[in-house]
Amino acid sequence: MTTPAARPDNRTNRRSPVQTAALLYGAVFLLVGAAGFIPGITTNYDTMQFAGHQSEAMLMGLFQVSILHNLVHLLYGVAGIALARTVSGARNFLRWGGAVYLLLWLYGLLIDKESTANFVPLNSADDWLHLLLGLTMVGLSFLDRGAHDRTAGRART
């Protein structure tokens, strides 16, 4: 017979909603980063450059990408998956990663898309996707706020 101390506690082994969100965003970023390197999923693949607005490669025919852009997505994916292991890591990934996307959205709105400032590269579709990502990531970072005292394993009063 197992003693209560030796029994696994399902509450401590379960992933919180904020961890699940970070894990899902991380997985999607990994998939998008990899898809950016696959001809067919990425149109005009032969025009892809390391960086810069001259890259005419388009992920799903919609989002302008470059090698740098794809690498950033892959790194975001790795960070999301790694940081999803803890509640605080997941929360920080979503909050600060989302804030970076909101800044990237503003950057994309302010720059001339045909200038060297567009080094990532970004197009209009990227800009609006960055707004959506930024808002949802920051919003999801507040999941479970105050709902549980995880250290005590009971609801807060």
Side-chain angles (χ1 to χ4, degrees):
M1 186 156 132
T2 349
T3 64
R7 247 184 265 140
D9 184 352
N10 288 337
R11 288 176 300 181
T12 59
N13 291 334
R14 292 182 55 187
R15 197 176 288 120
S16 75
V18 75
Q19 288 174 284
T20 300
L23 185 62
L24 288 173
Y25 271 74
V28 168
F29 281 123
L30 272 179
L31 288 172
V32 167
F37 290 113
I38 301 173
I41 295 175
T42 300
T43 59
N44 301 322
Y45 185 82
D46 57 330
T47 68
M48 187 181 302
Q49 297 186 9
F50 179 77
H53 66 281
Q54 300 90 354
S55 181
E56 294 177 16
M58 304 288 276
L59 180 63
M60 298 183 293
L62 188 60
F63 304 101
Q64 190 174 9
V65 294
S66 65
I67 294 169
L68 176 63
H69 203 149
N70 293 333
L71 291 174
V72 169
H73 286 138
L74 290 170
L75 291 172
Y76 249 74
V78 169
I81 290 169
L83 291 168
R85 296 189 326 198
T86 66
V87 171
S88 64
R91 195 173 310 286
N92 282 324
F93 168 72
L94 291 169
R95 185 164 301 146
W96 296 109
V100 167
Y101 268 104
L102 290 172
L103 289 173
L104 194 55
W105 168 67
L106 286 173
Y107 181 76
L109 292 180
L110 296 174
I111 63 166
D112 175 3
K113 298 287 197 264
E114 297 302 318
S115 74
T116 56
N118 192 11
F119 65 93
V120 175
L122 305 170
N123 65 8
S124 238
D126 288 309
D127 293 340
W128 296 109
L129 179 61
H130 293 156
L131 173 63
L132 178 67
L133 287 170
L135 291 174
T136 58
M137 288 174 75
V138 170
L140 289 169
S141 75
F142 292 98
L143 281 174
D144 260 4
R145 227 359 146 183
H148 295 87
D149 180 0
R150 298 232 181 256
T151 58
R154 61 173 195 246
R156 284 190 183 165
T157 56

